[in-house]
């Protein structure tokens, strides 16, 4: 194998902890995710499988079906978006497969976990476009438009749909909710999105943000409503869901952004109910790193209570 020339090995851009970009266009991620295949778990009864949604862009979902105790059993439907600064991680990594298996088992929801294209190779809005393609796919089943996925057709309660994500995934969840709210007809009447749970959400503030400015060259400014929704109260007031849960962590480096979003929701004229819960003494996405600790279990209980609420 030929060695790389010094010029091609020159780093032209770097975002610490995420990636560096070389002069020849190569991208090196500092944390490469592994791949965990779907499985059936005999202990929890949760089954998982992968479904390709958009073949040309490799947009795929991993479904998690909780243990079925009766043939016609329906579960609340959770559409989940993984985090990673728009640039790392995967719906198929050990982190997220293990976590969402636990979510399905412990909160008793049917999960659709979204695998979207990553920046910087695929700049924003690729992640939003891919995620919206999944939302449209789910809506086809809710509206009787020849959706072919039997788990959704047989076991999803489309009157109780939730969106959720952590970090950048929480940002994507908000943007999917925003898009569904402003343009409801695109998802049809059969899909009722009743709530959204944002865990350690990655939003902007009024300060320059290197991740957003590099991953979103079409609008690198921090007042972009997709990145800084608190700066656009007239849009926030249009959110169609009736309940929002925001989870923050005391030592999270973006903790204040979750609180800013919370305060903006309370003031913007939105008619729903918003609650914020904070985990003391923990850092960003601690629940993925330490899933069995007591505080991670408490966070899971918050989510279970939220997803099982009456619509």
């Amino acid at each position: 194998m030929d060695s790389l020339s010094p010029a091609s090995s020159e780093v032209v851009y770097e975002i610490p902890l995420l990636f560096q970009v070389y002069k020849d266009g190569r991208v090196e991620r500092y944390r490469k995710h592994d791949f965990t295949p779907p499985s059936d778990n005999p202990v929890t009864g949760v089954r998982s499988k992968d479904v390709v949604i958009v073949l040309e862009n490799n947009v795929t979902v991993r479904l998690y079906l909780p243990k079925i105790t009766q043939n016609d059993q329906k579960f609340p439907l959770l559409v989940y978006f993984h985090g990673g600064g728009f640039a790392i991680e995967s719906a198929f990594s050990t982190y997220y497969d293990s976590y969402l298996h636990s979510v399905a088992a412990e909160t008793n929801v049917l999960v659709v976990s979204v695998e979207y294209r990553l920046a910087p190779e695929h700049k924003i809005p690729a992640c939003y476009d891919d995620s919206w393609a999944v939302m449209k796919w789910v809506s086809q089943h809710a509206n009787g438009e020849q959706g072919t996925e039997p788990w959704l057709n047989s076991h999803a309660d489309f009157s109780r749909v939730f969106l959720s994500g952590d970090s950048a995934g929480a940002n994507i969840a908000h943007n999917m909710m925003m898009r569904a709210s402003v343009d409801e007809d695109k998802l049809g009447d059969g899909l009722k999105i009743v709530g959204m749970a944002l865990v350690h959400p990655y939003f902007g503030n009024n300060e320059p943000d290197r991740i957003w400015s590099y991953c979103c060259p079409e609008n690198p400014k921090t007042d972009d409503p997709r990145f800084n929704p608190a700066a656009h109260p007239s849009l926030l007031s249009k959110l169609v869901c009736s309940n929002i849960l925001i989870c923050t962590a005391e030592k999270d480096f973006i903790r204040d952004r979750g609180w800013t979003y919370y305060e903006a929701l309370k003031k913007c004229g939105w008619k729903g109910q918003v609650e914020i819960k904070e985990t003391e003494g923990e850092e960003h996405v601690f629940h993925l790193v330490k899933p069995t600790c007591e505080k991670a279990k408490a966070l899971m209980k918050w989510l279970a209570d939220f997803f099982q609420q009456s619509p």
Side-chain angles (χ1 to χ4, degrees), residues 37-52:
S39 62
D40 292 353
N41 189 303
V43 177
T44 64
V46 173
R47 302 169 62 196
S48 61
K49 67 177 175 180
D50 297 342
V51 180
V52 177

Side-chain angles (χ1 to χ4, degrees), residues 78-79 81 135 161-165 173 176-177 193 195-197 307:
L78 171 64
V79 184
F81 308 93
M135 295 296 296
V161 179
F162 295 86
L163 305 186
S164 185
M176 294 305 99
M177 185 69 76
I193 309 177
M196 180 167 60
F307 296 146

Side-chain angles (χ1 to χ4, degrees), residues 200-245:
H200 308 168
Y202 175 53
F203 292 127
N205 49 24
N206 296 322
E207 300 174 0
D209 189 286
R210 293 189 68 201
I211 297 175
W212 179 261
S213 63
Y214 190 78
C215 294
C216 186
E218 70 172 22
N219 187 6
K221 297 180 179 179
T222 57
D223 64 351
D224 188 313
R226 296 170 299 181
F227 186 53
N228 191 357
H232 301 268
S234 62
L235 283 176
L236 269 183
S237 67
K238 293 180 170 64
L239 288 176
V240 71
C241 61
S242 55
N243 290 279
I244 295 177
L245 172 65

Side-chain angles (χ1 to χ4, degrees), residues 1-308:
M1 180 180 295
D2 294 336
S3 60
L4 295 172
S5 69
S8 67
S9 299
E10 180 184 346
V11 174
V12 296
Y13 198 86
E14 178 183 23
I15 296 181
L17 303 180
L18 289 182
F19 60 81
Q20 58 185 7
V21 181
Y22 292 92
K23 189 173 183 179
D24 63 1
R26 290 181 299 114
V27 176
E28 181 181 354
R29 289 176 170 81
Y30 292 125
R31 191 173 79 222
K32 296 178 175 63
H33 67 263
D34 55 359
F35 176 83
T36 298
S39 62
D40 292 353
N41 189 303
V43 177
T44 64
V46 173
R47 302 169 62 196
S48 61
K49 67 177 175 180
D50 297 342
V51 180
V52 177
I53 308 302
V54 183
L55 181 61
E56 56 267 33
N57 292 333
N58 199 31
V59 181
T60 309
V61 296
R62 178 160 291 181
L63 304 179
Y64 298 83
L65 181 65
K67 183 177 181 179
I68 298 171
T69 57
Q70 56 191 49
N71 290 336
D72 59 348
Q73 189 168 1
K74 300 283 188 181
F75 301 97
L77 180 64
L78 171 64
V79 184
Y80 192 90
F81 308 93
H82 72 79
F86 305 108
I88 61 173
E89 272 300 337
S90 166
F92 310 134
S93 71
T94 300
Y95 266 153
Y96 283 100
D97 181 74
S98 176
Y99 175 64
L100 290 169
H101 181 106
S102 296
V103 169
E106 297 181 36
T107 74
N108 215 34
V109 296
L110 198 168
V111 181
V112 177
S113 178
V114 181
E115 177 75 348
Y116 52 85
R117 288 173 292 170
L118 298 177
E121 296 92 336
H122 305 284
K123 306 287 191 183
I124 291 170
C127 61
Y128 299 136
D129 293 341
D130 294 350
S131 298
W132 187 250
V134 172
M135 295 296 296
K136 289 287 291 179
W137 175 75
V138 170
S139 75
Q140 290 172 0
H141 297 78
N143 295 304
E145 300 172 10
Q146 298 182 330
T148 59
E149 173 46 53
W151 286 6
L152 294 185
N153 288 331
S154 299
H155 299 294
D157 182 352
F158 294 111
S159 70
R160 299 174 67 196
V161 179
F162 295 86
L163 305 186
S164 185
D166 63 278
S167 195
N171 175 290
I172 295 173
H174 162 81
N175 278 282
M176 294 305 99
M177 185 69 76
M178 194 77 260
R179 189 163 176 175
S181 303
V182 175
D183 227 334
E184 286 183 71
D185 290 343
K186 287 189 176 181
L187 295 182
D189 296 330
L191 194 71
K192 185 177 181 183
I193 309 177
V194 298
M196 180 167 60
L198 306 181
V199 180
H200 308 168
Y202 175 53
F203 292 127
N205 49 24
N206 296 322
E207 300 174 0
D209 189 286
R210 293 189 68 201
I211 297 175
W212 179 261
S213 63
Y214 190 78
C215 294
C216 186
E218 70 172 22
N219 187 6
K221 297 180 179 179
T222 57
D223 64 351
D224 188 313
R226 296 170 299 181
F227 186 53
N228 191 357
H232 301 268
S234 62
L235 283 176
L236 269 183
S237 67
K238 293 180 170 64
L239 288 176
V240 71
C241 61
S242 55
N243 290 279
I244 295 177
L245 172 65
I246 303 166
C247 299
T248 60
E250 181 186 14
K251 295 183 178 181
D252 187 353
F253 69 104
I254 54 173
R255 167 191 177 271
D256 291 348
R257 303 185 189 190
W259 279 91
T260 297
Y261 182 85
Y262 168 72
E263 295 294 342
L265 271 175
K266 291 201 302 180
K267 297 174 183 177
C268 72
W270 176 62
K271 303 301 183 183
Q273 298 293 318
V274 59
E275 182 178 15
I276 191 165
K277 289 179 174 290
E278 182 158 292
T279 303
E280 295 181 357
E282 293 293 350
E283 299 181 349
H284 192 62
V285 298
F286 75 93
H287 60 293
L288 298 177
V289 181
K290 303 180 292 183
T292 60
C293 74
E294 289 305 312
K295 291 177 181 178
K297 292 177 182 177
L299 175 54
M300 185 71 77
K301 179 64 164 56
W302 295 344
L303 295 175
D305 291 344
F306 185 72
F307 296 146
Q308 292 301 328

